[in-house]
């Protein structure tokens, strides 16, 4: 099972690549806070797409104590996404988290949760033949505020063979 935080979905929706998530990882669970973060804002990237996607399911996080503990380091959407991923893992379902922010990635690593980010999805999309090039998508993401250091961008493009 794949659980997602808001920012990867919003970033990919902003450049019309939200379907890449579906194509690469299949059905996605999002916690209620992530759903609200994406759909409650007027005109936010992905609001309509996420609300209408039949491959995205909103799931409640049962362990509110876990969320509260994570709120010391993360925002509500990230905390609920990680708590939901742990909830799924605890139920015996292999789980991966789609996440972007550094603190959330570090928390996933600390908890032993497999994770993938926007860049990982782009590279996987190219390898799977869903993208012919990564560079134009990175450029489009940059125009929408998705930030990568120059050395990271260069490394990504090298890995993509571009």
């Amino acid at each position: 099972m794949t659980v997602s935080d808001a920012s990867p979905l919003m970033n990919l929706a902003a450049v019309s690549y939200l379907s890449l998530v579906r194509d690469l990882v299949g059905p996605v669970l999002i916690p209620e806070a992530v759903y609200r973060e994406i759909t409650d804002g007027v005109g936010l990237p992905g609001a309509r797409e996420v609300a209408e996607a039949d491959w995205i399911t909103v799931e409640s996080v049962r362990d509110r104590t876990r969320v509260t503990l994570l709120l010391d380091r993360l925002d509500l959407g990230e905390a609920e996404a990680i708590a939901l991923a742990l909830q799924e893992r605890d139920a015996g379902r292999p789980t991966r988290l789609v996440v972007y922010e550094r603190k959330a990635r570090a928390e996933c690593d600390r908890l032993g949760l497999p994770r993938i980010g926007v860049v990982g999805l782009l590279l996987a999309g190219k390898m799977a033949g869903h993208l012919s090039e990564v560079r134009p998508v990175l450029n489009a993401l940059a125009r929408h505020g998705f930030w990568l250091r120059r050395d990271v961008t260069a490394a990504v493009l090298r890995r993509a063979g571009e």
Side-chain angles (χ1 to χ4, degrees):
M1 181 54 59
T2 299
V3 175
S4 185
D5 185 26
S7 60
L9 299 177
M10 293 172 74
N11 279 302
L12 289 167
V15 296
S16 301
Y17 279 96
L18 182 60
S19 62
L20 191 62
V21 178
R22 179 199 63 221
D23 296 343
L24 293 171
V25 300
V28 171
L29 290 178
I30 58 173
E32 293 166 337
V34 167
Y35 183 80
R36 285 190 309 272
E37 186 177 336
I38 296 170
T39 62
D40 281 359
V42 176
L44 287 177
R48 182 184 49 77
E49 295 92 331
V50 167
E52 295 174 359
D54 61 358
W55 53 275
I56 296 176
T57 302
V58 180
E59 184 77 30
S60 296
V61 176
R62 290 187 294 275
D63 188 346
R64 301 310 302 174
T65 301
R66 188 176 269 169
V67 172
T68 300
L69 292 171
L70 290 166
L71 285 172
D72 286 343
R73 298 174 293 287
L74 306 170
D75 71 25
L76 181 59
E78 293 162 347
E80 281 200 7
I82 289 173
L84 181 56
L86 291 169
Q87 179 176 300
E88 289 296 302
R89 183 178 76 182
D90 292 348
R93 292 180 281 274
T95 304
R96 167 176 43 187
L97 189 63
V98 181
V99 65
Y100 170 68
E101 285 80 9
R102 184 181 337 156
K103 287 181 183 178
R105 291 190 324 258
E107 195 63 29
C108 287
D109 294 345
R110 187 183 76 75
L111 294 166
L113 275 173
R115 61 178 171 82
I116 190 167
V118 172
V119 169
L121 288 168
L122 295 178
L123 290 169
K126 181 165 183 185
M127 287 183 222
H130 296 288
L131 297 173
S132 58
E133 291 181 288
V134 170
R135 182 185 307 270
V137 183
L138 285 177
N139 290 339
L141 284 165
R143 288 190 295 275
H144 286 275
F146 183 86
W147 184 85
L148 291 175
R149 291 187 336 249
R150 283 182 188 253
D151 61 319
V152 173
T153 300
V156 169
L157 292 174
R158 273 193 307 278
R159 249 183 109 187
E162 298 176 32

